[in-house]
Amino acid sequence: MSGDGIVIVGGGLASQRCVETLRARGYAGRLRLVCGEAELPYDRPPLSKELLAGELDEAEVGFRPARWYADQRVELIFRRAVKLDAKRRRVRLDDETELAYEDLVIATGGAPRVLPQLAQYSNVHYLRTIADARRLRTELREGARLAVIGAGFIGQEVAATASAAGAEVTIVEAAPAPLGAVLGEEIGRTLMRMHSDQGIDVRLATKLEDARGNGTVEELVLSRGGTLACDAVVVGIGVAPDSGWVGTSRLGKEGVLTDVAGRTEVPHVFAAGDVTLAFDHRVGRHRRSEHWDAAVRQGVAAARAILGERPEPAPPPSFWSDQHGVRIQYFGYADLSDEMTIEGRPADRRFAVIYTRRGKPVGALTVDDPRAFARLRKEIARADSGNSSERSNDELHPEG
Ligand code: FAD
């Protein structure tokens, strides 16, 4: 033991859960957390919901007060990692210092994909950090015209929050139905109707062609429907793993490849959260999961793997989203289904979608129905435990 201990690079949700688990399970060595933002670790879901709406203060989204890190002997380093030298077991930071480690956890999350044609405009927003939310909040005025490009869940949540704040919101989405590849086109369109019912102008199958303005975007040129005048633009077209600093293809180019326990192919290097492509034994390949539940589970798993504990099987993916006062919840693998049924009436904004494969439930999406969600989740988990074998959970990158 060198005394260098564990270095965790990130400072988000997966890092936080990793640190908490290490201390809770008795790790007494040196623990350093490299935080890429000038903030104590905080929770992101409120950024597009309560924090953006002004219902929560910034202090309320932090995971723990500064005192907790001191009490737990977690050294916080507010720097960005710029290079990994896995052979020498060192991480270089942007102030040229080097941190030696016994074990490293990569948990640097993701960065929003950008639209280069909007780069020169000051009223274009992305939403990933508390600083982004702070900036975006200043645009949510009564009557302000806000264009949201991309109808993924973050785009939809921003649209709902902005509309509730009195902004005139237009959603521009290139696909004929958002999230169609996962949830199916019908459900994608159903979710969009919830927005149009609340007065949001929804433009599907519409691409951004160009933008015009002098320093700020004044109008967007769209592939259908001409131009769209706006005061501000929010772009929500997905997230790319923030793994550029890792710089070695052995860890993966499109995200850091891990097994179910967060182990990578490189000794003493682990990864967790949105930055990973974790092996999913149910589909037999590595998958990205950019959701809160996965980041928590993977942060805990990486800590346990460092401590030499056996990995727990990963549950199927799940997430939630809050829009227009209703909660949307999802569990399982809708994309593997061959049939779908709807319980309830989407027009009532309270319904459940059950995705089945060969008659067995594989996924569920519910809108404003937590009881149906709990029931379906159980049914899917039961069907899943009947199907799955112990086989692949311990295997590292079985497809080579
Ligand atoms: P992050 O929380 O992104 O943390 C990564 C940290 O690493 C960041 O602080 C980043 O600055 C830092 N970093 C990056 N590069 C470096 C570097 N080189 N050196 C040092 N630090 C670095 N999920 C849900 O299931 N439901 C929701 O309702 C929901 N809402 C969301 C709303 C918003 C606005 C956002 C952005 C996400 C939401 N999510 C939601 C997703 C969820 O928050 C993420 O899956 C989760 O935060 C991922 O945790 P993470 O630790 O992997 O990454």
Side-chain angles (χ1 to χ4, degrees), residues 10 12-14 36-37 44 49 80-81 108-109 128 273-274 291-292 320:
L13 174 62
E37 294 169 58
R44 276 167 225 280
K49 310 175 185 75
R80 289 187 81 80
T108 41
R128 183 75 193 179
D274 286 5
H291 302 302
W292 198 93
W320 83 94

Side-chain angles (χ1 to χ4, degrees), residues 36-273:
E37 294 169 58
E39 316 280 347
L40 288 174
Y42 61 88
D43 209 14
R44 276 167 225 280
L47 303 187
S48 48
K49 310 175 185 75
E50 302 92 331
L51 187 89
L52 193 61
E55 292 159 9
L56 271 187
D57 288 339
E58 290 188 9
E60 294 176 278
V61 302
F63 292 120
R64 303 277 189 176
R67 197 184 55 251
W68 182 88
Y69 298 92
D71 289 349
Q72 296 291 320
R73 291 179 301 109
V74 177
E75 298 168 47
L76 297 172
I77 300 168
F78 294 96
R79 285 281 161 201
R80 289 187 81 80
V82 291
K83 196 167 187 328
L84 168 62
D85 183 343
K87 260 199 201 128
R88 291 171 58 236
R89 287 208 230 170
R90 278 176 163 69
V91 173
R92 178 146 22 101
L93 306 183
D94 56 2
D95 62 353
E96 297 297 313
T97 53
E98 279 198 332
L99 306 181
Y101 61 81
E102 286 164 64
D103 292 295
L104 173 73
V105 181
I106 299 170
T108 41
R113 294 186 196 278
V114 297
L115 285 175
Q117 65 266 49
L118 299 182
Q120 76 267 34
Y121 298 109
S122 62
N123 59 344
V124 173
H125 298 262
Y126 296 86
L127 183 55
R128 183 75 193 179
T129 66
I130 215 163
D132 295 338
R134 214 176 276 151
R135 238 185 104 231
L136 177 57
R137 240 170 84 65
T138 64
E139 306 273 15
L140 305 192
R141 294 177 307 274
E142 184 80 37
R145 296 160 305 169
L146 184 73
V148 176
I149 300 179
F153 278 117
I154 290 182
Q156 291 190 40
E157 288 182 355
V158 170
T161 304
S163 164
E168 285 174 27
V169 183
T170 304
I171 297 178
V172 178
E173 166 60 48
L179 308 163
V182 182
L183 305 177
E185 293 211 351
E186 185 185 339
I187 299 306
R189 275 194 298 271
T190 303
L191 294 179
M192 294 321 283
R193 268 197 298 278
M194 296 199 335
H195 296 289
S196 32
D197 288 350
Q198 298 295 314
I200 292 175
D201 180 0
V202 176
R203 315 265 185 105
L204 298 177
T206 304
K207 287 197 180 114
L208 173 72
E209 306 246 286
D210 202 359
R212 295 187 193 133
N214 187 11
T216 57
V217 179
E218 285 155 27
E219 62 179 22
L220 299 173
V221 182
L222 305 178
S223 62
R224 290 181 0 157
T227 58
L228 174 67
C230 57
D231 300 308
V233 181
V234 178
V235 181
I237 55 167
V239 167
D242 215 337
S243 56
W245 67 277
V246 170
T248 152
S249 55
R250 274 183 76 201
L251 287 168
K253 289 193 185 110
E254 304 294 323
V256 181
L257 297 169
T258 73
D259 69 352
V260 70
R263 293 175 293 218
T264 72
E265 280 193 350
V266 177
H268 303 285
V269 178
F270 301 77

Side-chain angles (χ1 to χ4, degrees), residues 6 16-29 31 64 68 72-73 296-312:
I6 301 169
Q16 179 65 32
R17 292 299 184 252
C18 185
V19 165
E20 288 172 1
T21 307
L22 285 165
R23 284 297 188 233
R25 296 180 94 83
Y27 177 74
L31 208 41
R64 303 277 189 176
W68 182 88
Q72 296 291 320
R73 291 179 301 109
V296 168
R297 194 198 63 73
Q298 292 172 0
V300 172
R304 294 183 56 167
I306 291 173
L307 299 175
E309 297 177 18
R310 255 184 85 78
E312 301 257 320

